[in-house]
Amino acid sequence: MKAIQIVQPGEIKMVELETPILQEDEVLVKLHYVGFCGSDLNTYLGKNPMVKLPVIPGHEIGAVIESVGSKVPSTIKVGLPCTVNPYTNCSNCPSCRNGRPNACQFNETFGVQRNGAMAEYIAVPWSKVIIDADSQLSPKDFTLVEPMSVGFHAVSRGDISDLDIVMVIGCGMIGIGAIVRSVIRGATVIAVDMDDEKLALAKRLGAHHTINSKTENVTEVLKGLTNACGADVIIEAVGSPITYQMAINEVAFTGKVVCIGYAKSEIAFETKYFVQKELDIRGSRNAMPEDFRSVMKYLKRGTCPIDELISGIYKPDEAQQALIKWQEDPGKVFRLLIQF
């Protein structure tokens, strides 16, 4: 079978691999679409320290069940569309013992710490397969489930309710997920980004207000929207020193800051705000099964502009071209899909 491999920084090639041999507790899935995410782009650019090259990238999966092992539950049927939970968990570390396997200390994510899904077939434990029993979602729809679920999970980490004013910094794919989930929970949502097209999409998805941080003064606009109180919850979905500092500076007293983005350098904070505001600063990593299910429920509404969230679809031998496009204009890309 064909697979895509990042060989070294700046080089992708097609490789031929054996089709996986199915074990009795596994499911063989046929990949239809796999999305590139930011971690794949960083791997390609040589900026992902968690990756050992060469590696097969990809963990945003839209597939169909090809065959099942003898010990797979009967509810998982051949022909059903599906996605795959791409994380592992050890069951023994503090995170797993505390019921939060998404943050497993020894997690290995597809395409990062282990080979990913950009191949014609993958075999996975049946417990990691997420199906749509009534087949309302297509494999292409399913590629959006994992990245949106990361944003959904951040909203859960922030305990967001209808009483909250929520500011989401960054309207990429994960930020969009946080915006959608916050709107569903009834919060007043403020979207912040540097790109007017992304802000317009955030508005169509339910954001009540938008701020272009490149052309507007975030502090002043936020004061006007919150009676000078600041946002009750701020979700940082960019991962830069500027946006991390913005989150701490702009959150309300006794507010919450939820951190999704990875900053690539050390950040200096006015730590007095941690104490004076008595802040809750929470990390948010990956997603839980219920976050996957919540995204699927949302997508089944039929209101999500799925085609607007897919910035391009490429053939496997065009994978390097896709990443070059993303590298050249990162602000204009939501998700790029490889179609097998």
Side-chain angles (χ1 to χ4, degrees), residues 171 193-200 212-214 329 331-332:
C171 295
D193 202 277
M194 299 174 65
D195 186 276
D196 284 330
E197 291 181 17
K198 287 185 174 180
L199 290 171
N212 187 317
S213 58
K214 187 175 183 179
D329 196 1
K332 295 297 183 184

Side-chain angles (χ1 to χ4, degrees), residues 38-261:
S39 63
D40 299 317
L41 178 61
N42 283 328
T43 299
Y44 173 73
L45 296 175
K47 298 179 179 180
N48 192 339
M50 295 182 288
V51 172
K52 182 179 179 181
L53 298 176
V55 69
I56 297 171
H59 57 256
E60 300 172 357
I61 294 166
V64 170
I65 294 173
E66 180 79 3
S67 59
V68 298
S70 60
K71 292 188 176 180
V72 174
S74 60
T75 52
I76 300 177
K77 298 180 173 65
V78 171
L80 283 178
C82 68
T83 189
V84 175
N85 184 327
Y87 324 124
T88 63
N89 57 281
C90 70
S91 301
N92 294 314
C93 73
S95 299
C96 291
R97 293 199 306 269
N98 290 331
R100 291 159 66 179
N102 59 295
C104 175
Q105 183 176 351
F106 305 104
N107 167 66
E108 293 185 349
T109 298
F110 271 160
V112 184
Q113 294 93 346
R114 57 182 173 145
N115 277 329
M118 284 200 176
E120 292 181 275
Y121 298 92
I122 56 171
V124 294
W126 68 264
S127 60
K128 295 294 184 180
V129 176
I130 301 169
I131 62 171
D132 177 24
D134 52 14
S135 298
Q136 291 185 41
L137 298 180
S138 70
K140 186 165 72 170
D141 299 334
F142 263 122
T143 60
L144 302 183
V145 171
E146 192 276 340
M148 290 191 78
S149 73
V150 176
F152 272 47
H153 183 67
V155 172
S156 296
R157 291 285 294 141
D159 294 324
I160 289 168
S161 77
D162 58 324
L163 300 178
D164 290 318
I165 296 176
V166 179
M167 187 165 86
V168 178
I169 306 174
C171 295
M173 195 68 209
I174 291 171
I176 287 295
I179 289 167
V180 167
R181 186 58 165 157
S182 297
V183 170
I184 290 172
R185 290 196 174 191
T188 299
V189 180
I190 303 166
V192 179
D193 202 277
M194 299 174 65
D195 186 276
D196 284 330
E197 291 181 17
K198 287 185 174 180
L199 290 171
L201 178 59
K203 198 75 177 289
R204 292 201 300 278
L205 289 169
H208 300 85
H209 309 282
T210 61
I211 304 174
N212 187 317
S213 58
K214 187 175 183 179
T215 60
E216 298 178 271
N217 184 309
V218 175
T219 300
E220 293 305 315
V221 177
L222 188 62
K223 282 181 179 179
L225 295 174
T226 64
N227 293 320
C229 291
D232 301 299
V233 183
I234 294 185
I235 297 176
E236 199 290 329
V238 176
S240 78
I242 292 173
T243 52
Y244 262 90
Q245 290 166 341
M246 181 190 297
I248 298 299
N249 294 343
E250 305 298 346
V251 70
F253 274 63
T254 68
K256 293 186 282 284
V257 175
V258 181
C259 308
I260 311 175

Side-chain angles (χ1 to χ4, degrees), residues 283-298:
S284 182
R285 183 183 181 192
N286 298 332
M288 294 283 282
E290 55 264 33
D291 300 309
F292 282 77
R293 293 195 298 270
S294 293
V295 174
M296 291 168 62
K297 182 179 179 180
Y298 164 67

